[in-house]
Amino acid sequence: MANLTSALEDVDSIEMPNETCNENCQESIVTFWIEGVAVPIIATFGILGNVVCVFVFNQKSVELKPSFSNILKCLSIFDSLFLIGVTLLYPLPILSPGFSVYEPYISPIILPLTQIALTGSVFSVLAVATERYFTICKPFTYNLGSLLDGFVYIMVIVIFSFLYNLARFFEYKTEVKVDMDPITNISYVHTSLGLTDLRKNPVYTTVCILLNTVVMGIFPILTLAILNYRILKKMKIANEVHNRIASNQRRDGAMTALLSGVVLVMVLCHTPKTIINAYESYQMLMLGSMKYHPLWGRIIIKLSHLLLTVSSAVNILIYSYKDMKFRYIVYNFIPQLLKKVTSPCCSNKTDLSNLELLEGTTTANV
């Protein structure tokens, strides 16, 4: 529920006169273990898990409304794209020093694309909650989920996510500097990631920070809390009225529990970044610029990268824990997938053995 990049991370803010060597060492250690170790492991698991989720939600046996299923598939796709972007931005430069040559060229594109995926992920969860709210609390009310099996929701999310982050494509640039060695007369080209004049503009920066604090932080948290509260309240009343719950009501109960798990994880994982946004907003409004870059703030940013990765990676665990049908399909799908992956190898070995046997028989006959 927050922007991926932060004013505390801007390249112009790296050199700080009050920073000690001890703080640099602490930040480097935290960065390595969080962004270099934990993030790639969780991201890899999350990408594979989201691929499985898309497959499961395509199955009729999962017994979900088409609109609900399609929005969950949209969420899984956005989460996968976000995890790929995070892997390219943070772990890869740490684990592969040679990647630093390409980083200044691809980061101005990867950063906004990753932010688009993050925005799409957040608002996909909002769409899931909205669809559940109308299905349970207002089943006879016309809504976007009734149109084209939820694809209207998806189109709105995709268009909004792109337009909302359009300006981010003009925030970063590749800076090229050529140095000449006076002794050998050999020129060296240095590339780095720099900020554009737009990103350096204090008015633009202030507006962006405030907007992100509201649009990607306060608004989603409050909306999800209200919708989830009303859904749970309605389900509680329905359970008290009906002594014997019908199968479709039990399914609604399972989906409500699933939604509650997704919402809880997302709110917890996005809260640190929202706090950083609020801190940045305070500095921009009260001081006119980012005058303070405390160590705790930079560490929270690293932690928020990990938590945002967790938020996009653990949905398959929530679905499996809360929904028996989903869990059953996954448990049957994974062995089948492993069998398909290993069967070509086994088939090649069998063919090779048959060929050797045939050659041996032919030699004996000769």
PDB file of all heavy atoms in Angstrom, residues 11-34:
ATOM      1  N   VAL A  11      19.205   8.831  -5.070  1.00  0.00           N
ATOM      2  CA  VAL A  11      20.658   8.756  -5.253  1.00  0.00           C
ATOM      3  C   VAL A  11      21.350  10.029  -4.803  1.00  0.00           C
ATOM      4  O   VAL A  11      22.506  10.002  -4.414  1.00  0.00           O
ATOM      5  CB  VAL A  11      20.988   8.471  -6.732  1.00  0.00           C
ATOM      6  CG1 VAL A  11      20.603   7.072  -7.101  1.00  0.00           C
ATOM      7  CG2 VAL A  11      20.325   9.469  -7.656  1.00  0.00           C
ATOM      8  N   ASP A  12      20.668  11.149  -4.846  1.00  0.00           N
ATOM      9  CA  ASP A  12      21.286  12.398  -4.411  1.00  0.00           C
ATOM     10  C   ASP A  12      21.442  12.456  -2.901  1.00  0.00           C
ATOM     11  O   ASP A  12      22.092  13.349  -2.374  1.00  0.00           O
ATOM     12  CB  ASP A  12      20.444  13.588  -4.887  1.00  0.00           C
ATOM     13  CG  ASP A  12      20.666  13.871  -6.358  1.00  0.00           C
ATOM     14  OD1 ASP A  12      21.477  13.178  -6.990  1.00  0.00           O
ATOM     15  OD2 ASP A  12      20.020  14.789  -6.866  1.00  0.00           O
ATOM     16  N   SER A  13      20.808  11.527  -2.200  1.00  0.00           N
ATOM     17  CA  SER A  13      20.823  11.561  -0.743  1.00  0.00           C
ATOM     18  C   SER A  13      21.752  10.515  -0.154  1.00  0.00           C
ATOM     19  O   SER A  13      21.722  10.241   1.035  1.00  0.00           O
ATOM     20  CB  SER A  13      19.397  11.332  -0.199  1.00  0.00           C
ATOM     21  OG  SER A  13      18.509  12.283  -0.723  1.00  0.00           O
ATOM     22  N   ILE A  14      22.591   9.908  -0.993  1.00  0.00           N
ATOM     23  CA  ILE A  14      23.444   8.833  -0.502  1.00  0.00           C
ATOM     24  C   ILE A  14      24.547   9.383   0.401  1.00  0.00           C
ATOM     25  O   ILE A  14      24.843   8.834   1.441  1.00  0.00           O
ATOM     26  CB  ILE A  14      24.058   8.055  -1.677  1.00  0.00           C
ATOM     27  CG1 ILE A  14      22.958   7.279  -2.402  1.00  0.00           C
ATOM     28  CG2 ILE A  14      25.135   7.110  -1.197  1.00  0.00           C
ATOM     29  CD1 ILE A  14      23.444   6.520  -3.607  1.00  0.00           C
ATOM     30  N   GLU A  15      25.153  10.494   0.029  1.00  0.00           N
ATOM     31  CA  GLU A  15      26.237  11.053   0.818  1.00  0.00           C
ATOM     32  C   GLU A  15      25.657  11.995   1.860  1.00  0.00           C
ATOM     33  O   GLU A  15      25.115  13.045   1.540  1.00  0.00           O
ATOM     34  CB  GLU A  15      27.231  11.798  -0.087  1.00  0.00           C
ATOM     35  CG  GLU A  15      27.928  10.881  -1.087  1.00  0.00           C
ATOM     36  CD  GLU A  15      28.927  11.630  -1.918  1.00  0.00           C
ATOM     37  OE1 GLU A  15      29.054  12.861  -1.690  1.00  0.00           O
ATOM     38  OE2 GLU A  15      29.573  11.025  -2.769  1.00  0.00           O
ATOM     39  N   MET A  16      25.812  11.594   3.129  1.00  0.00           N
ATOM     40  CA  MET A  16      25.263  12.397   4.211  1.00  0.00           C
ATOM     41  C   MET A  16      26.379  12.716   5.192  1.00  0.00           C
ATOM     42  O   MET A  16      27.048  11.808   5.696  1.00  0.00           O
ATOM     43  CB  MET A  16      24.121  11.637   4.904  1.00  0.00           C
ATOM     44  CG  MET A  16      22.879  11.552   4.032  1.00  0.00           C
ATOM     45  SD  MET A  16      21.765  10.277   4.565  1.00  0.00           S
ATOM     46  CE  MET A  16      22.573   8.851   3.848  1.00  0.00           C
ATOM     47  N   PRO A  17      26.606  13.987   5.483  1.00  0.00           N
ATOM     48  CA  PRO A  17      27.756  14.382   6.288  1.00  0.00           C
ATOM     49  C   PRO A  17      27.716  13.846   7.700  1.00  0.00           C
ATOM     50  O   PRO A  17      28.753  13.615   8.296  1.00  0.00           O
ATOM     51  CB  PRO A  17      27.675  15.919   6.276  1.00  0.00           C
ATOM     52  CG  PRO A  17      26.236  16.220   5.959  1.00  0.00           C
ATOM     53  CD  PRO A  17      25.794  15.132   5.060  1.00  0.00           C
ATOM     54  N   ASN A  18      26.555  13.625   8.283  1.00  0.00           N
ATOM     55  CA  ASN A  18      26.460  13.195   9.664  1.00  0.00           C
ATOM     56  C   ASN A  18      26.493  11.682   9.823  1.00  0.00           C
ATOM     57  O   ASN A  18      26.366  11.156  10.912  1.00  0.00           O
ATOM     58  CB  ASN A  18      25.170  13.738  10.294  1.00  0.00           C
ATOM     59  CG  ASN A  18      25.172  15.251  10.365  1.00  0.00           C
ATOM     60  OD1 ASN A  18      26.225  15.850  10.541  1.00  0.00           O
ATOM     61  ND2 ASN A  18      24.006  15.848  10.232  1.00  0.00           N
ATOM     62  N   GLU A  19      26.636  10.966   8.719  1.00  0.00           N
ATOM     63  CA  GLU A  19      26.595   9.514   8.779  1.00  0.00           C
ATOM     64  C   GLU A  19      27.967   8.977   9.153  1.00  0.00           C
ATOM     65  O   GLU A  19      28.990   9.415   8.651  1.00  0.00           O
ATOM     66  CB  GLU A  19      26.167   8.953   7.426  1.00  0.00           C
ATOM     67  CG  GLU A  19      25.981   7.449   7.442  1.00  0.00           C
ATOM     68  CD  GLU A  19      25.406   6.963   6.137  1.00  0.00           C
ATOM     69  OE1 GLU A  19      24.215   7.181   5.910  1.00  0.00           O
ATOM     70  OE2 GLU A  19      26.189   6.381   5.360  1.00  0.00           O
ATOM     71  N   THR A  20      28.007   8.028  10.047  1.00  0.00           N
ATOM     72  CA  THR A  20      29.265   7.444  10.491  1.00  0.00           C
ATOM     73  C   THR A  20      29.550   6.168   9.734  1.00  0.00           C
ATOM     74  O   THR A  20      28.681   5.570   9.123  1.00  0.00           O
ATOM     75  CB  THR A  20      29.205   7.140  12.004  1.00  0.00           C
ATOM     76  OG1 THR A  20      28.200   6.141  12.227  1.00  0.00           O
ATOM     77  CG2 THR A  20      28.847   8.386  12.799  1.00  0.00           C
ATOM     78  N   CYS A  21      30.809   5.726   9.814  1.00  0.00           N
ATOM     79  CA  CYS A  21      31.190   4.471   9.170  1.00  0.00           C
ATOM     80  C   CYS A  21      30.428   3.311   9.780  1.00  0.00           C
ATOM     81  O   CYS A  21      30.071   2.356   9.112  1.00  0.00           O
ATOM     82  CB  CYS A  21      32.689   4.273   9.320  1.00  0.00           C
ATOM     83  SG  CYS A  21      33.299   2.733   8.602  1.00  0.00           S
ATOM     84  N   ASN A  22      30.170   3.390  11.090  1.00  0.00           N
ATOM     85  CA  ASN A  22      29.449   2.329  11.767  1.00  0.00           C
ATOM     86  C   ASN A  22      28.044   2.172  11.179  1.00  0.00           C
ATOM     87  O   ASN A  22      27.553   1.063  10.985  1.00  0.00           O
ATOM     88  CB  ASN A  22      29.368   2.640  13.261  1.00  0.00           C
ATOM     89  CG  ASN A  22      28.757   1.497  14.044  1.00  0.00           C
ATOM     90  OD1 ASN A  22      29.027   0.334  13.752  1.00  0.00           O
ATOM     91  ND2 ASN A  22      27.947   1.827  15.025  1.00  0.00           N
ATOM     92  N   GLU A  23      27.388   3.295  10.895  1.00  0.00           N
ATOM     93  CA  GLU A  23      26.058   3.247  10.289  1.00  0.00           C
ATOM     94  C   GLU A  23      26.123   2.645   8.891  1.00  0.00           C
ATOM     95  O   GLU A  23      25.239   1.879   8.497  1.00  0.00           O
ATOM     96  CB  GLU A  23      25.453   4.651  10.242  1.00  0.00           C
ATOM     97  CG  GLU A  23      25.001   5.172  11.587  1.00  0.00           C
ATOM     98  CD  GLU A  23      24.285   6.508  11.471  1.00  0.00           C
ATOM     99  OE1 GLU A  23      24.319   7.097  10.369  1.00  0.00           O
ATOM    100  OE2 GLU A  23      23.698   6.958  12.466  1.00  0.00           O
ATOM    101  N   ASN A  24      27.166   2.999   8.143  1.00  0.00           N
ATOM    102  CA  ASN A  24      27.331   2.422   6.808  1.00  0.00           C
ATOM    103  C   ASN A  24      27.474   0.910   6.878  1.00  0.00           C
ATOM    104  O   ASN A  24      26.880   0.178   6.084  1.00  0.00           O
ATOM    105  CB  ASN A  24      28.567   3.019   6.122  1.00  0.00           C
ATOM    106  CG  ASN A  24      28.240   4.293   5.379  1.00  0.00           C
ATOM    107  OD1 ASN A  24      27.140   4.466   4.894  1.00  0.00           O
ATOM    108  ND2 ASN A  24      29.216   5.185   5.308  1.00  0.00           N
ATOM    109  N   CYS A  25      28.277   0.443   7.823  1.00  0.00           N
ATOM    110  CA  CYS A  25      28.491  -1.000   7.974  1.00  0.00           C
ATOM    111  C   CYS A  25      27.193  -1.698   8.368  1.00  0.00           C
ATOM    112  O   CYS A  25      26.859  -2.767   7.838  1.00  0.00           O
ATOM    113  CB  CYS A  25      29.565  -1.266   9.020  1.00  0.00           C
ATOM    114  SG  CYS A  25      31.200  -0.658   8.572  1.00  0.00           S
ATOM    115  N   GLN A  26      26.459  -1.097   9.296  1.00  0.00           N
ATOM    116  CA  GLN A  26      25.192  -1.687   9.731  1.00  0.00           C
ATOM    117  C   GLN A  26      24.209  -1.776   8.576  1.00  0.00           C
ATOM    118  O   GLN A  26      23.544  -2.804   8.384  1.00  0.00           O
ATOM    119  CB  GLN A  26      24.597  -0.859  10.878  1.00  0.00           C
ATOM    120  CG  GLN A  26      25.383  -0.944  12.174  1.00  0.00           C
ATOM    121  CD  GLN A  26      24.827  -0.029  13.241  1.00  0.00           C
ATOM    122  OE1 GLN A  26      23.824   0.646  13.039  1.00  0.00           O
ATOM    123  NE2 GLN A  26      25.491   0.004  14.388  1.00  0.00           N
ATOM    124  N   GLU A  27      24.123  -0.698   7.812  1.00  0.00           N
ATOM    125  CA  GLU A  27      23.178  -0.690   6.691  1.00  0.00           C
ATOM    126  C   GLU A  27      23.582  -1.707   5.625  1.00  0.00           C
ATOM    127  O   GLU A  27      22.725  -2.372   5.030  1.00  0.00           O
ATOM    128  CB  GLU A  27      23.102   0.701   6.077  1.00  0.00           C
ATOM    129  CG  GLU A  27      22.028   0.819   4.995  1.00  0.00           C
ATOM    130  CD  GLU A  27      21.896   2.230   4.458  1.00  0.00           C
ATOM    131  OE1 GLU A  27      22.639   3.123   4.929  1.00  0.00           O
ATOM    132  OE2 GLU A  27      21.060   2.440   3.563  1.00  0.00           O
ATOM    133  N   SER A  28      24.893  -1.859   5.386  1.00  0.00           N
ATOM    134  CA  SER A  28      25.355  -2.820   4.383  1.00  0.00           C
ATOM    135  C   SER A  28      25.018  -4.252   4.791  1.00  0.00           C
ATOM    136  O   SER A  28      24.594  -5.064   3.962  1.00  0.00           O
ATOM    137  CB  SER A  28      26.864  -2.683   4.178  1.00  0.00           C
ATOM    138  OG  SER A  28      27.192  -1.405   3.685  1.00  0.00           O
ATOM    139  N   ILE A  29      25.195  -4.563   6.073  1.00  0.00           N
ATOM    140  CA  ILE A  29      24.886  -5.909   6.560  1.00  0.00           C
ATOM    141  C   ILE A  29      23.396  -6.190   6.449  1.00  0.00           C
ATOM    142  O   ILE A  29      22.980  -7.260   5.971  1.00  0.00           O
ATOM    143  CB  ILE A  29      25.368  -6.071   8.022  1.00  0.00           C
ATOM    144  CG1 ILE A  29      26.887  -6.003   8.087  1.00  0.00           C
ATOM    145  CG2 ILE A  29      24.862  -7.380   8.604  1.00  0.00           C
ATOM    146  CD1 ILE A  29      27.439  -5.970   9.496  1.00  0.00           C
ATOM    147  N   VAL A  30      22.580  -5.221   6.877  1.00  0.00           N
ATOM    148  CA  VAL A  30      21.121  -5.387   6.804  1.00  0.00           C
ATOM    149  C   VAL A  30      20.684  -5.534   5.353  1.00  0.00           C
ATOM    150  O   VAL A  30      19.846  -6.383   5.023  1.00  0.00           O
ATOM    151  CB  VAL A  30      20.408  -4.190   7.466  1.00  0.00           C
ATOM    152  CG1 VAL A  30      18.903  -4.245   7.195  1.00  0.00           C
ATOM    153  CG2 VAL A  30      20.659  -4.191   8.967  1.00  0.00           C
ATOM    154  N   THR A  31      21.255  -4.717   4.471  1.00  0.00           N
ATOM    155  CA  THR A  31      20.905  -4.775   3.051  1.00  0.00           C
ATOM    156  C   THR A  31      21.217  -6.140   2.453  1.00  0.00           C
ATOM    157  O   THR A  31      20.412  -6.702   1.708  1.00  0.00           O
ATOM    158  CB  THR A  31      21.645  -3.678   2.268  1.00  0.00           C
ATOM    159  OG1 THR A  31      21.278  -2.395   2.781  1.00  0.00           O
ATOM    160  CG2 THR A  31      21.304  -3.744   0.785  1.00  0.00           C
ATOM    161  N   PHE A  32      22.389  -6.684   2.793  1.00  0.00           N
ATOM    162  CA  PHE A  32      22.778  -7.976   2.220  1.00  0.00           C
ATOM    163  C   PHE A  32      21.828  -9.082   2.657  1.00  0.00           C
ATOM    164  O   PHE A  32      21.345  -9.861   1.821  1.00  0.00           O
ATOM    165  CB  PHE A  32      24.216  -8.331   2.628  1.00  0.00           C
ATOM    166  CG  PHE A  32      24.620  -9.724   2.219  1.00  0.00           C
ATOM    167  CD1 PHE A  32      24.965  -9.999   0.908  1.00  0.00           C
ATOM    168  CD2 PHE A  32      24.622 -10.760   3.146  1.00  0.00           C
ATOM    169  CE1 PHE A  32      25.321 -11.284   0.522  1.00  0.00           C
ATOM    170  CE2 PHE A  32      24.975 -12.046   2.769  1.00  0.00           C
ATOM    171  CZ  PHE A  32      25.331 -12.312   1.461  1.00  0.00           C
ATOM    172  N   TRP A  33      21.564  -9.169   3.950  1.00  0.00           N
ATOM    173  CA  TRP A  33      20.750 -10.272   4.450  1.00  0.00           C
ATOM    174  C   TRP A  33      19.279 -10.138   4.066  1.00  0.00           C
ATOM    175  O   TRP A  33      18.592 -11.138   3.829  1.00  0.00           O
ATOM    176  CB  TRP A  33      20.891 -10.397   5.964  1.00  0.00           C
ATOM    177  CG  TRP A  33      22.197 -11.004   6.356  1.00  0.00           C
ATOM    178  CD1 TRP A  33      23.271 -10.378   6.911  1.00  0.00           C
ATOM    179  CD2 TRP A  33      22.586 -12.369   6.191  1.00  0.00           C
ATOM    180  NE1 TRP A  33      24.314 -11.262   7.106  1.00  0.00           N
ATOM    181  CE2 TRP A  33      23.912 -12.500   6.678  1.00  0.00           C
ATOM    182  CE3 TRP A  33      21.955 -13.497   5.676  1.00  0.00           C
ATOM    183  CZ2 TRP A  33      24.593 -13.704   6.664  1.00  0.00           C
ATOM    184  CZ3 TRP A  33      22.629 -14.712   5.672  1.00  0.00           C
ATOM    185  CH2 TRP A  33      23.932 -14.806   6.162  1.00  0.00           C
ATOM    186  N   ILE A  34      18.793  -8.910   3.975  1.00  0.00           N
ATOM    187  CA  ILE A  34      17.380  -8.724   3.623  1.00  0.00           C
ATOM    188  C   ILE A  34      17.185  -8.790   2.113  1.00  0.00           C
ATOM    189  O   ILE A  34      16.415  -9.604   1.603  1.00  0.00           O
ATOM    190  CB  ILE A  34      16.849  -7.385   4.179  1.00  0.00           C
ATOM    191  CG1 ILE A  34      16.746  -7.442   5.699  1.00  0.00           C
ATOM    192  CG2 ILE A  34      15.473  -7.062   3.580  1.00  0.00           C
ATOM    193  CD1 ILE A  34      16.208  -6.176   6.339  1.00  0.00           C
TER     194      ILE A  34
END
